[in-house]
Amino acid sequence: EAGVAQSPRYKIIEKRQSVAFWCNPISGHATLYWYQQILGQGPKLLIQFQNNGVVDDSQLPKDRFSAERLKGVDSTLKIQPAKLEDSAVYLCASSPIRDRGNEQFFGPGTRLTVL
Amino acid sequence: AQSVAQPEDQVNVAEGNPLTVKCTYSVSGNPYLFWYVQYPNRGLQFLLKYITGDNLVKGSYGFEAEFNKSQTSFHLKKPSALVSDSALYFCAVNTGFQKLVFGTGTRLLVSP
């Protein structure tokens, strides 16, 4: 079974530039998550999709971050404009259904450096 | 607010010795607890979870965890550590809103 795919793996940008990350979840997984992991911290949930609808975006900085999940499969996370504090690893995860007992399957992440 | 705490930034153990990585939780209601491991430049991998039932949960790669309700703990254990177990370990709780809240992580270093 193929895992969660993410691209790019690394990205370096200047502050105030824009950037986009792509995620392809495990086939058939209805729930998709984007996390931000700052160095030395645990991952923090940014947004959660159930199929192509948003079920939780309470911790997404909506003035600069946006995300979409077209057709309930792939997802894109965008930052515009980027700030220095956005430097982090952005992790995508998926799970079969939205259930508290289900584990989440994580992709390798995209490491963003904002200069 | 539901949360987990990992009191140790780093745990050092010699290969072949038992290891314990500590986690305590603060949860209202029944806790749904997880352990994940992160190797360098890789995403998180699921190790094990406690939902209900037996307090000793067995997981991947020989790891197990003991749920202790009276001490609100969910410590990760392994009887005999391997050098390849060296990684970053995260405890997490799944809140009632299907959101994983992670601890700050514990780096495990196993020396040969």
Side-chain angles (χ1 to χ4, degrees), chain A residues 9-10 33 35 37 40-43 45 48 56 58-59 91 98-104 106-108 111, chain B residues 2 30-32 34 36 38 41-44 46 49 51 88 90 94-100 102-104:
Chain A
R9 291 296 310 276
Y10 305 91
Y33 313 80
Y35 289 85
Q37 185 178 15
Q41 299 180 18
L45 181 69
Q48 179 185 165
D56 184 354
S58 57
Q59 298 191 91
L91 296 165
R98 190 166 172 257
D99 183 274
R100 284 185 73 188
N102 274 349
E103 59 265 32
Q104 297 176 18
F106 285 80
R111 182 176 298 275
Chain B
Q2 311 213 49
N30 295 325
Y32 284 59
F34 297 76
Y36 284 82
Q38 188 173 36
N41 298 316
R42 295 175 67 178
L44 281 73
F46 168 77
K49 63 183 177 183
I51 305 300
L88 191 55
F90 289 97
N94 196 320
T95 71
F97 301 103
Q98 284 77 49
K99 178 190 300 186
L100 271 181
F102 287 88
T104 51

Side-chain angles (χ1 to χ4, degrees), chain A residues 5 7 10 30 51 54 58 63 73 75 80 84 92 94 96 102 107 110:
Chain A
S7 68
Y10 305 91
N51 296 311
V54 176
S58 57
D63 58 333
V73 182
S75 177
Q80 181 180 9
L84 296 177
C92 179
S94 68
N102 274 349
T110 296

Side-chain angles (χ1 to χ4, degrees), chain A residues 24-95:
Chain A
N24 179 242
I26 293 173
S27 177
H29 280 195
T31 310
L32 185 146
Y33 313 80
W34 282 103
Y35 289 85
Q36 180 192 57
Q37 185 178 15
I38 294 173
L39 186 64
Q41 299 180 18
K44 182 185 80 172
L45 181 69
L46 293 175
I47 189 167
Q48 179 185 165
F49 292 93
Q50 178 72 12
N51 296 311
N52 59 352
V54 176
V55 295
D56 184 354
D57 63 357
S58 57
Q59 298 191 91
L60 187 74
K62 298 180 186 64
D63 58 333
R64 298 184 300 107
F65 285 65
S66 64
E68 61 182 4
R69 189 181 184 195
L70 299 175
K71 300 180 181 179
V73 182
D74 293 4
S75 177
T76 302
L77 177 69
K78 297 180 181 178
I79 307 175
Q80 181 180 9
K83 293 185 175 182
L84 296 177
E85 59 261 35
D86 297 332
S87 294
V89 175
Y90 291 84
L91 296 165
C92 179
S94 68
S95 63

Side-chain angles (χ1 to χ4, degrees), chain B:
Chain B
Q2 311 213 49
S3 64
V4 291
Q6 295 181 245
E8 303 157 316
D9 290 336
Q10 183 166 307
V11 170
N12 298 303
V13 64
E15 188 174 32
N17 284 357
L19 69 87
T20 298
V21 182
K22 296 180 180 178
C23 173
T24 59
Y25 65 89
S26 175
V27 171
S28 56
N30 295 325
Y32 284 59
L33 298 163
F34 297 76
W35 276 102
Y36 284 82
V37 60
Q38 188 173 36
Y39 297 100
N41 298 316
R42 295 175 67 178
L44 281 73
Q45 295 179 34
F46 168 77
L47 280 179
L48 50 80
K49 63 183 177 183
Y50 174 82
I51 305 300
T52 186
D54 196 348
N55 289 342
L56 186 63
V57 179
K58 294 189 182 296
S60 306
Y61 313 120
F63 284 93
E64 57 190 27
E66 186 172 9
F67 173 73
N68 188 317
K69 188 173 183 178
S70 62
Q71 298 186 5
T72 63
S73 66
F74 188 54
H75 300 333
L76 182 69
K77 300 182 179 184
K78 188 174 183 181
S80 179
L82 300 173
V83 172
S84 56
D85 293 330
S86 298
L88 191 55
Y89 290 81
F90 289 97
C91 181
V93 60
N94 196 320
T95 71
F97 301 103
Q98 284 77 49
K99 178 190 300 186
L100 271 181
V101 175
F102 287 88
T104 51
T106 299
R107 185 166 302 280
L108 173 66
L109 287 177
V110 182
S111 56

